[in-house]
Each structure stands twice: as structure tokens, then as C-alpha cells.
Amino acid sequence: MTTWRAIWLGFLTAAGLQVAAINATRIGAQSPQQSQADMSPFTMELRRGALTHSPVDVSYLLDAPAGKHGFVQVKDGHLATGEGKRIRFWGVNITDWSKGSRQIPVKQDAAFLASTLARFGVNSVRFQFLDLEVSRGLIAKQGDSTRMLDVDALDREDYFIAELEKRGIYIDFNLLVGRPFHAGDGVKNAELLREGSKGTSLYDARMIELQKEYARQLLTHLNPYTKLRYTDDPAVAIVEINNENAINVGFHAPAPFYQDELTGLYNQWLAKHRTAEQSAKLREITSAGAADPVPLLSSKTLVAEAPPERFYAEAEFYNDLQHDYFLDMERYLKQTLGSHSLVIATADHSHSNSGYSILLATEDMDIIDGHTYWQHPEYYVKKLPMVNDPFNSTIVELSRSAIAGKPYTVSEVNNPFPNDYAGEGIPILAAYAGLQDWDALFWYTFEPKSDPAWKPYVGDAFDISLDPVKMPELAAGALLFLRGDVEKARTVSERTYSEKQVFDSMLIPSTERPYYTEGFPLALPLEHEVRIGSLTGPPTKPFETPKATDPIVSDTRQLAWYVGPQHTNGLVTVDTPRSQALIGFVKAQGKSVRNMSAEVNNSFCILLLSAMDEQPIATSAKLLLVAGGPVENTGQQWNTAGTDVTSFGGPPSLVEPVKGTITLNGLEGAHAVWVQPIDGAGQPLGKPTAAANIGGTWKVPLGPVTTTWYEIRVER
């Protein structure tokens, strides 16, 4: 059993989600015996879409070229342009995990890919794995060393970035992610290190030298197509020091050399931060001889049993170690290299345990960042609908990390494929990120396809580039998030922690996930904005036990989360003037929003309606409707338990078309409503049909043509 699987199965038991798994089996996780008879081919055709104008193009949301208003800064606790205007980022990661993908595209594809991303409303990209070796990344293959950048790969990346910037798309560089350190780099025991050298890269002197060398090579490089070094390019909004990397009590180094190095640093720290009497006590506790170094706990299983003196000494040491590493790297980027970009240290990325120690070590950086996934494939659990489990949702998990007075970004998130309910992720998070007043969402991930003739299907768990529901949702989500259609919460709930509470949170059982704060009401982030006031302040006060409500309604009254008495027919409604949605078990719940109601045949679906101009839906001349449900690949097969696929399938991708009728009401002065299905290239699919006017409401038929999105025009 893998570590991740053990952790996650333990969490399932602790959190009592076995009941939810039984319910999910009853309501819809598809079994291998279930056919694809109700599904039809519908594929994203991005290359064809780049050839002509699309009626559902939302690139007008972008302010091109990127950086024209100066470097992105922090103002009033949020991201802002150089002129001081609030800016939000709606982004994607660029990677190449799925078959046929290429992280650094050929020059012939750069303009096409940049315009495609802009057309779907993407105004920022996160380059995560550039520190891989060619042909995937920028690192040149030169024997047993990773210390040079490949000239051709860097040239293609420069060209791609220039094309992105022209269209108003900002850049986020992630410096250390998957670099495979080699012996020729002067790194000890390189064969024992994981890619990116998790843990050790935060303290090993040689690895830190190499990280700085790579940062210098990349960031001080002159892009010949923009005529700017990346340190001087205002379109480079963010630089991340280290991806998902933290070290804490119980860390076990991969080799004796690194354990000895870490122990040496610990004993140097003890000499500065503990009295002779305190150090003697630690020697007694650890049975260390007078001439021997005080050892560190090297197993997480021993942490809970450690005496307080030992636990707190090591917790403080690891906090200082990480804090000093990140500050040193930030000084190098800004002072030595002259970078003007904002800096992220690393993300709060593990929700199976407390993240407050990571936040304590990184809170001095410009931006606080979070990562999470709804039912990551490594967890091997049934693929459940998030609408049925609000308290473990991506919104609640991510909300724990936001700190008052700091921009908060989410640089990795997804509801991974395969999951019949995966389409719920983008619209729900876009809506609640507005309520929480967050600054950026980067979906993981968009993977450029290198072959123009590539047959479209969903290539892996994370790649959204050819997902026939998530890509239309990306455009609609850009409207929702970038415009701020959901109002920020009217009330901000701040909590504070003492440093002791931060360290103690590492010992709290997983029954308190994801907040690891005893008694914290998990409905709170779905009602109000939630922030950390301090991590070195007064202890958190006890929380009052709230009265359970269904639905859970935001204090703006624009968002509601219905769960039902048995948590089997969840539904999220979004009800704002310019964007409205019904997400989840629409048929069972029978709810409506101010301008839209639905009668659909599907058990589960997403209906997302947005004005494509600055008008409210009631007076808009043009609307975008996304209507999506389950997505599969042709021939995809589930195992008997419904936990994973035995065959991923292949092209073409299939959708369960949303069938039925939506009713639009309150369209002021409308005398005709035309409904135009859109194909996978963003082009009209057949001819538009007229919606029927029934007593001043407009009946829009769904399903006669297989599609997942529509343009709706209102004539007045």
C-alpha cells in the first residue's frame, strides 16, 4: 500500500466518508458494466478554432499587452497593476504529462496556442516544469550535469512567452520543481534523490547554489523577442521559489550525508537558541553523548511520542530553517538579480495534515499560495460529487491558508478526470473565490498537443485542454471571476494562532482536517470571507457551534449550497446580475435562480449562464450558456470498485448531452431570443433556433444537437 493511499484511506475512516461512498455508488459512480449508450462524441478542436472568429471568444477580458501598466504589485492586500488598479489572474499551468503533449511548443504553434488561451479568457500562465531536461524542459543534456540551459529550448520558450504577452497573458515562473540533480552537478548521492529533491533542497548548500545559478540563467536572460530580460519584464508577474516543498519534524533524509548535514545545522541552531541547561536536557532525552551531536527525530511515527522539549525545539528549528532559506532566495532574486516580480515561497499543498507551519515559514513573502485537488487520482477512492460534500470541498480546503493583508493565489487546482462529476469544479471555485476575494486561480493543467492531427480525447487525469466540458467552462469562469461577478463577502472572519498552536497543529488528528483548528465551523468559508489574522498572536478563541442549515447561504445571498438530508443530491446555485448557475443534481433539487430555471432529464449537470457584455443578464444582448455533464473517452472502463479506470479509452471524447429545457425570465424588452449551439472549435453548430415565448418567459431547448455550450442572442 502506498503512503498516499494509506493516508487517504485513514482519512476516509476518520472523516466518516464511508457513508458518502455508499451513497455515491447508489447515485452514479459508473461501473464497468454501464454502457456509453447515452453518450455522444463531442470534441474540442482548438486548431480549427484559431482560424476564424468565435462568437464565444472572451479575449476582450484581457488587457493586452501584458505588463503595459508596469509591474504587478501588492496594494491593499491584493494584486494590482503598476498603476494601482486591482488585477486578478485566471490562469492555467502549462505542462506535458499526457501523451502527445509538448510543454515548450514549436514556434509555428506559439501564436495559435497563445490566441487559444486568450480566447478562453486565460490571462496568466504558470510554467511549472521548465527545470526538466530537454526535450521536456530547458535543461540541456550534457553528460552528467544539469547546469546549462538548452539554447534551442530556451529560444522556443522565449518566442512562446512573447506571443503570450502580446495577447495580455502574464507569466509565473516556478524555479525548482522536478530538476533531476546529477552527480556531475557536485551533488552528493544524486541517485537517491527525488526529482526536485524535496526537503533536502531547502538546506543543502550545494543544491541552494545550483538553484541560484538556474535562477540567474533564466531570469537574467534577454528574451530577443521582447527585448527584455525576465528580471525587467513587467509581464513576469510572479516567481515561485520552490514547488510543494516543505520540511518538518520527523523528516528522514534520503542518505546519511544529508542527515548528517541537517543534524549539523540543528546543533548550530541549538547553540544560538537554547541555553546550556536546555541543550543538556535534550542530550539526556535523546541519549546523546557529551561529544555527540543532538540527533533529530527521523520518523514521523515518533513525533507524537516525543517529549515537549524535543518536539518544540525541532519544530522551531525547521521553521527557522525554511524561513531563512526562503528569505535568502528572495533576497537573491530581488537584490542580486534585480527581479521586480512578486515572489511566492511555496504552496500550502497537503490537506491530510496541518499547513500552518508552512504558512508560518512563508508569510513574509509577497503572496500566499495554495494547492489542492478534489479526489486526486493517488487517493484511490470512489469518484464522488463534490456538491455532496461541501465541508471537504476545494473551497473549504483552500480557504484555510489565506492571510489577512496578503494576496492569496491558488496556483494548482482541479477536479481530476475521470469523474462523472468533474465539471462541477471550475464554476464552483470561480464563484466562491469571488466571495473569498482571492487574487488568482491557475487550473492544472493545459497541455499543448504537438501533432496538428492529434485525435482529441482527455489524455490524463489533469489535462483540461481537450476536455469538452471544462474548456467551455474555462471561458464562462473567466467571465465570472475576472469581472468580479460574485461580490466579496460582507463579513470577514479572522482567526489568530499562537506559534505554539501552529506547532501543536501538526499533532492534531485528521478528524480535524482541513482546518486543524478544534471546533472550527466548516460552513464558515461558504458564508463569509475567512482569513488568518496572525500566526504569532493570541491563541485562537473557541468557536461557537453553528446551527446546521440547508442550504448554506453566503452573506451576499448570491451563493447557496444545498446538500439534502442524506448528502446525496447536492446543488450549488450562483445568482448574480451577470452570471447565474445551477451546478449538481439539478433535476432532484428543482431550484432556480433569478433569470433561469431548468427542467432537465439528466441526474447531474452544470448550467452556467453569463452575460457576454457588461450588462446584467436581464438587459444583455448576448449570453454564453455552458451545459455540461459527464465526460468519458471512447472505450473507457471502470474497475468493479469504481475507484479507477482499467482502460483510459481513446478518441473521440464523449459527453452525456444535457437534455431538457431551460426557461429564461426577466429579459427586459426582449421580442426574440435566438439559441445557437457551438461546436468544439467555438464556431456555430448548425443554424440558430428561436426560443419559444411563453407568457413572457423564453423556453430554450437543450439536447437536439450534441454540444456543451451555446450562444444566446436577445433581440429588443
Side-chain angles (χ1 to χ4, degrees):
M1 181 181 290
T2 64
T3 302
W4 271 110
R5 186 177 184 184
I7 290 171
W8 187 248
L9 290 177
F11 157 63
L12 283 178
T13 302
L17 291 183
Q18 291 163 319
V19 172
I22 294 169
N23 289 334
T25 302
R26 188 166 63 240
I27 62 175
Q30 187 176 7
S31 70
Q33 289 76 33
Q34 190 173 350
S35 74
Q36 298 179 329
D38 293 332
M39 308 191 83
S40 302
F42 187 76
T43 58
M44 301 308 296
E45 301 177 69
L46 302 183
R47 288 183 184 271
R48 184 164 66 86
L51 300 177
T52 57
H53 173 71
S54 168
V56 289
D57 183 339
V58 297
S59 60
Y60 59 86
L61 295 169
L62 281 61
D63 189 11
K68 71 179 183 181
H69 302 296
F71 278 92
V72 174
Q73 59 176 313
V74 176
K75 181 180 180 183
D76 300 326
H78 291 289
L79 299 181
T81 67
E83 296 176 345
K85 182 181 177 182
R86 177 81 184 269
I87 186 171
R88 279 178 165 158
F89 290 140
W90 181 252
V92 294
N93 287 259
I94 302 291
T95 57
D96 64 352
W97 295 108
S98 64
K99 187 177 180 180
S101 301
R102 189 166 189 170
Q103 181 176 210
I104 305 174
V106 295
K107 287 185 177 180
Q108 296 93 316
D109 280 352
F112 143 65
L113 289 165
S115 63
T116 296
L117 291 170
R119 181 160 59 90
F120 283 89
V122 171
N123 71 341
S124 51
V125 298
R126 179 179 186 245
F127 287 110
Q128 190 193 25
F129 279 95
L130 292 179
D131 63 337
L132 296 178
E133 292 178 324
V134 293
S135 60
R136 297 188 62 193
L138 294 175
I139 303 293
K141 286 187 176 179
Q142 48 158 14
D144 195 24
S145 172
T146 64
R147 296 186 57 191
M148 297 292 292
L149 302 186
D150 184 85
V151 174
D152 176 67
L154 185 57
D155 183 61
R156 286 185 285 112
E157 181 68 10
D158 288 338
Y159 190 79
F160 186 28
I161 287 173
E163 292 297 318
L164 292 166
E165 293 182 7
K166 286 178 188 176
R167 290 159 178 81
I169 299 174
Y170 286 78
I171 308 303
D172 171 351
F173 281 129
N174 202 176
L175 295 179
L176 182 62
V177 186
R179 185 175 177 178
F181 291 109
H182 295 326
D185 299 323
V187 171
K188 301 290 186 181
N189 302 117
E191 72 282 358
L192 300 178
L193 299 175
R194 295 173 56 193
E195 288 189 349
S197 300
K198 301 298 186 184
T200 51
S201 60
L202 300 173
Y203 67 86
D204 177 67
R206 180 55 181 162
M207 288 186 202
I208 293 172
E209 288 178 358
L210 293 168
Q211 291 172 61
K212 291 179 177 179
E213 180 181 71
Y214 173 80
R216 177 182 56 77
Q217 290 173 332
L218 177 63
L219 298 179
T220 65
H221 164 72
L222 178 72
N223 184 329
Y225 306 104
T226 64
K227 304 297 190 291
L228 291 170
R229 299 180 188 275
Y230 287 122
T231 51
D232 302 323
D233 186 349
V236 180
I238 299 170
V239 175
E240 298 181 46
I241 295 172
N242 209 317
N243 178 68
E244 292 190 357
N245 202 342
I247 188 171
N248 224 314
V249 184
F251 174 78
H252 182 70
F257 171 84
Y258 294 108
Q259 192 65 43
D260 291 345
E261 185 180 24
L262 185 62
T263 301
L265 292 170
Y266 176 51
N267 281 265
Q268 292 174 27
W269 182 90
L270 287 175
K272 294 180 181 179
H273 297 277
R274 291 294 186 269
T275 65
E277 183 180 356
Q278 290 170 326
S279 294
K281 178 66 174 177
L282 287 171
R283 289 185 177 280
E284 178 184 344
I285 289 171
T286 60
S287 301
D292 298 326
V294 177
L296 287 158
L297 291 162
S298 59
S299 169
K300 293 188 182 298
T301 60
L302 300 175
V303 173
E305 303 170 5
E309 297 95 333
R310 186 175 192 183
F311 172 74
Y312 290 119
E314 294 191 21
E316 289 178 41
F317 162 67
Y318 281 114
N319 177 72
D320 287 353
L321 181 74
Q322 294 176 98
H323 180 265
D324 292 349
Y325 160 80
F326 287 122
L327 280 183
D328 177 56
M329 287 296 298
E330 183 193 39
R331 282 193 295 266
Y332 182 77
L333 296 175
K334 291 184 175 182
Q335 297 176 17
T336 303
L337 301 185
S339 172
H340 299 284
S341 303
L342 298 177
V343 173
I344 291 173
T346 195
D348 177 9
H349 57 276
S350 175
H351 296 272
S352 59
N353 49 49
S354 170
Y356 299 121
S357 58
I358 297 174
L359 295 173
L360 181 63
T362 61
E363 65 176 338
D364 289 337
M365 298 296 106
D366 298 315
I367 298 169
I368 302 301
D369 188 49
H371 292 178
T372 199
Y373 295 86
W374 174 254
Q375 301 196 338
H376 194 289
E378 287 183 343
Y379 297 161
Y380 299 101
V381 299
K382 285 187 177 295
K383 305 305 181 182
L384 309 178
M386 190 171 73
V387 288
N388 286 355
D389 194 5
F391 299 153
N392 288 295
S393 63
T394 55
I395 297 92
V396 173
E397 286 197 338
L398 290 164
S399 67
R400 81 172 183 193
S401 309
I403 294 178
K406 291 277 187 179
Y408 183 57
T409 62
V410 178
S411 64
E412 282 189 39
V413 66
N414 200 345
N415 289 48
F417 179 89
N419 187 330
D420 286 348
Y421 316 102
E424 65 192 341
I426 289 177
I428 289 178
L429 192 56
Y432 280 94
L435 179 77
Q436 291 295 325
D437 206 19
W438 296 343
D439 292 272
L441 297 175
F442 290 81
W443 297 95
Y444 198 89
T445 178
F446 184 96
E447 306 209 334
K449 300 299 176 285
S450 57
D451 183 356
W454 185 257
K455 300 297 183 183
Y457 71 106
V458 184
D460 71 9
F462 305 106
D463 183 11
I464 71 171
S465 66
L466 296 176
D467 190 301
V469 169
K470 288 180 180 177
M471 285 303 295
E473 286 181 336
L474 195 65
L479 292 165
L480 180 61
F481 183 69
L482 292 178
R483 293 190 308 203
D485 286 359
V486 173
E487 297 173 8
K488 72 180 297 293
R490 294 170 185 171
T491 300
V492 180
S493 175
E494 284 194 15
R495 65 199 191 282
T496 63
Y497 298 89
S498 67
E499 186 175 275
K500 181 178 182 298
Q501 278 187 312
V502 169
F503 297 147
D504 287 345
S505 70
M506 293 185 283
L507 305 176
I508 292 176
S510 59
T511 50
E512 292 296 324
R513 74 175 304 279
Y515 261 75
Y516 293 90
T517 302
E518 187 175 358
F520 183 86
L522 294 177
L524 199 61
L526 305 176
E527 299 170 328
H528 311 291
E529 182 179 346
V530 176
R531 296 268 169 169
I532 296 169
S534 174
L535 291 163
T536 55
T540 304
K541 296 179 181 179
F543 292 92
E544 294 183 6
T545 302
K547 182 179 179 181
T549 62
D550 186 16
I552 305 165
V553 181
S554 68
D555 63 16
T556 62
R557 316 302 296 178
Q558 292 182 330
L559 305 177
W561 198 309
Y562 299 82
V563 293
Q566 295 183 330
H567 287 234
T568 57
N569 290 309
L571 179 77
V572 171
T573 63
V574 180
D575 199 349
T576 81
R578 290 188 295 195
S579 287
Q580 296 168 26
L582 301 168
I583 306 162
F585 294 91
V586 176
K587 181 179 179 180
Q589 285 284 352
K591 307 300 181 185
S592 61
V593 287
R594 74 183 73 180
N595 296 117
M596 179 175 65
S597 60
E599 294 182 6
V600 295
N601 301 331
N602 308 64
S603 170
F604 180 93
C605 67
I606 302 99
L607 297 170
L608 177 54
L609 181 70
S610 292
M612 291 193 70
D613 48 31
E614 294 304 308
Q615 296 296 312
I617 289 171
T619 56
S620 176
K622 183 178 178 180
L623 307 171
L624 171 62
L625 172 67
V626 176
V631 175
E632 293 191 2
N633 292 323
T634 298
Q636 179 180 310
Q637 293 286 322
W638 287 88
N639 62 14
T640 304
T643 59
D644 202 358
V645 287
T646 56
S647 173
F648 215 75
S653 54
L654 307 174
V655 299
E656 180 185 284
V658 179
K659 295 183 178 181
T661 303
I662 65 167
T663 301
L664 302 179
N665 60 77
L667 302 185
E668 299 175 13
H671 62 75
V673 174
W674 294 94
V675 182
Q676 175 63 67
I678 301 297
D679 69 11
Q683 301 301 312
L685 180 60
K687 295 182 179 180
T689 59
N693 186 348
I694 309 295
T697 65
W698 300 89
K699 303 291 185 180
V700 176
L702 303 177
V705 175
T706 298
T707 186
T708 57
W709 52 342
Y710 302 80
E711 175 201 25
I712 299 177
R713 289 194 172 273
V714 182
E715 294 182 2
R716 291 180 170 83

